[in-house]
């Protein structure tokens, strides 16, 4: 990561990650809404006004039937989540990287250490994001229009009807989702940076970061989409006392979806997801690297 150029205090890593995360969510959020809608749709067939035949059909039906603003419904929760989420991602990756280099006696990152570090950062990040993700998923669902009046209403009704621990529904599947995505993302960033020519200019560095981040985001998305589908369904399920939810645990949920809807159903919402997290991964890395370089130059100018 860029932070290895010159070590910076934790607060700068945290702030850079937060700024990168909010920048990405503001640009790419509508794709996340479409992804969630498609993932929550069960069954193999899709026809009619309330079902979607893919990304473009979903976009057009949301805008036509619910209005353009619906593409940004629930954005408050992810914006509040993005700062701690992305900040935790990059800060944890930085801290875990140092920990593993010392543990294994390495002076530089390697491919295997990058994968291990990314997976550990993903697991750390999961504990921060689960409640925000649950609120976001429930607001993005089409049925939420008559069920919830906003973010606070989701929290209040979930806690009142299902208990406070319900805010952590889907923790296990979220752990798997973030472990797989971060391992693929940070592992690929390391590998791509080794393969492409070293940048000699600021513009060249930005281009390299876009390439590395986009490849990492794409690979991470390929790895974690099945867990993302399961997570969406687990978190959108309102638990009823005495009843076992259909989607309860990650791997059994994967098996259920594959059995009932076919293996391809595990990649529902993949196109909008990869269109968001492929380029989104590039945006994250470019903004994060740029902000870290800004902080580094600022400290050097002050003689710190």
């Amino acid at each position: 990561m860029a932070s290895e150029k010159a070590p910076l205090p934790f607060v700068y890593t945290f702030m850079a990650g937060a700024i990168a995360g909010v920048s990405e969510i503001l640009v790419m959020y509508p794709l996340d809404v479409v992804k969630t809608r498609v993932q929550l749709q069960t069954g193999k067939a899709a026809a009619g006004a309330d079902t979607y035949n893919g990304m473009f059909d979903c976009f057009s039906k949301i805008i036509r039937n619910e209005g353009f603003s619906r593409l940004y419904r629930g954005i408050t929760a992810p914006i509040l989540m993005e700062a701690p989420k992305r900040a935790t991602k990059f800060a944890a990756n930085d801290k875990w990287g140092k920990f593993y280099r010392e543990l294994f006696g390495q002076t530089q990152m390697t491919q295997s250490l990058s994968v291990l570090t990314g997976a550990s950062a993903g697991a750390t990040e999961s504990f921060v994001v689960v409640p925000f993700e649950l609120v976001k998923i429930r607001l993005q669902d089409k049925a939420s229009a008559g069920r919830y009046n906003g973010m606070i209403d989701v929290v209040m009704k979930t806690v009142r009807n299902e208990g406070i621990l319900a805010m952590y529904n889907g923790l296990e599947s979220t752990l798997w989702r973030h472990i797989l995505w971060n391992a693929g993302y940070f592992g690929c960033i390391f590998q791509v940076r080794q393969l492409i020519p070293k940048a000699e200019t600021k513009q060249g560095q930005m281009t390299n970061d876009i390439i590395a981040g986009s490849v990492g985001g794409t690979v991470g998305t390929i790895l974690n989409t099945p867990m993302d589908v399961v997570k969406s369904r687990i978190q959108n399920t309102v638990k009823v006392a005495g009843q076992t939810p259909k989607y309860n645990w990650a791997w059994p949920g994967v098996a259920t979806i594959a059995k009932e809807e076919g293996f391809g159903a595990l990649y529902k919402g993949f196109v909008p997801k990869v269109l968001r997290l492929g380029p989104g991964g590039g945006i994250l890395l470019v903004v994060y690297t740029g902000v870290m370089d800004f902080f580094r130059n600022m400290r050097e100018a002050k003689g710190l």
Side-chain angles (χ1 to χ4, degrees), residues 29-94:
Y29 186 75
L31 285 168
D32 191 62
V33 174
V34 171
K35 180 265 298 184
T36 300
R37 288 287 187 93
V38 175
Q39 287 180 344
L40 293 178
Q41 183 171 268
T42 59
K44 296 181 181 179
D50 294 330
T51 51
Y52 311 110
N53 290 308
M55 180 181 73
F56 292 110
D57 184 53
C58 185
F59 261 120
S60 64
K61 285 181 177 176
I62 290 174
I63 294 171
R64 183 172 65 248
N65 300 329
E66 304 171 55
F68 181 81
S69 63
R70 185 69 176 185
L71 291 172
Y72 285 88
R73 180 170 169 80
I75 196 173
T76 305
I79 282 182
L80 291 175
M81 171 183 71
E82 280 303 308
K85 172 184 175 181
R86 302 303 186 183
T88 301
K89 176 195 295 293
F90 285 102
N93 188 72
D94 186 62

Side-chain angles (χ1 to χ4, degrees), residues 1 20 24 86 89-90 93 111 114-115 117-119 121 125 177-193 209-224 277-289:
M1 295 300 300
E24 189 270 344
R86 302 303 186 183
K89 176 195 295 293
F90 285 102
N93 188 72
Q111 176 67 32
S114 293
V115 173
T117 297
E125 177 188 16
R177 184 185 77 154
H178 285 264
I179 287 170
L180 292 170
W181 196 88
N182 281 272
Y185 181 67
F186 287 111
C188 281
I189 286 174
F190 177 88
Q191 189 61 44
V192 171
R193 280 176 164 170
D209 284 344
I210 290 174
I211 294 171
S214 296
V215 171
T218 300
V219 172
T221 302
I222 293 170
L223 291 174
N224 89 335
L277 294 178
I283 293 171
L284 276 174
L285 189 58
V286 167
V287 175
Y288 176 80
T289 302

Side-chain angles (χ1 to χ4, degrees), residues 77-152:
I79 282 182
L80 291 175
M81 171 183 71
E82 280 303 308
K85 172 184 175 181
R86 302 303 186 183
T88 301
K89 176 195 295 293
F90 285 102
N93 188 72
D94 186 62
K95 290 295 183 181
W96 281 113
K98 293 175 181 176
F99 171 78
Y100 286 127
R101 286 197 302 273
E102 293 176 1
L103 180 66
F104 295 106
Q106 299 287 335
T107 57
Q108 298 292 329
M109 290 297 290
T110 64
Q111 176 67 32
S112 57
L113 283 183
S114 293
V115 173
L116 180 59
T117 297
S120 300
T124 305
E125 177 188 16
S126 299
F127 289 93
V128 176
V129 308
V130 173
F132 295 97
E133 279 283 322
L134 183 137
V135 171
K136 183 196 74 170
I137 293 296
R138 294 193 176 188
L139 285 175
Q140 287 179 343
D141 183 18
K142 182 179 176 65
S144 72
R147 187 184 302 164
Y148 305 114
N149 294 318
M151 182 182 68
I152 301 300

Side-chain angles (χ1 to χ4, degrees), residues 285-303:
L285 189 58
V286 167
V287 175
Y288 176 80
T289 302
V291 174
M292 287 294 283
D293 285 344
F294 170 78
F295 286 148
R296 191 173 292 110
N297 293 336
M298 180 181 68
R299 285 174 57 83
E300 289 176 356
K302 292 181 177 180

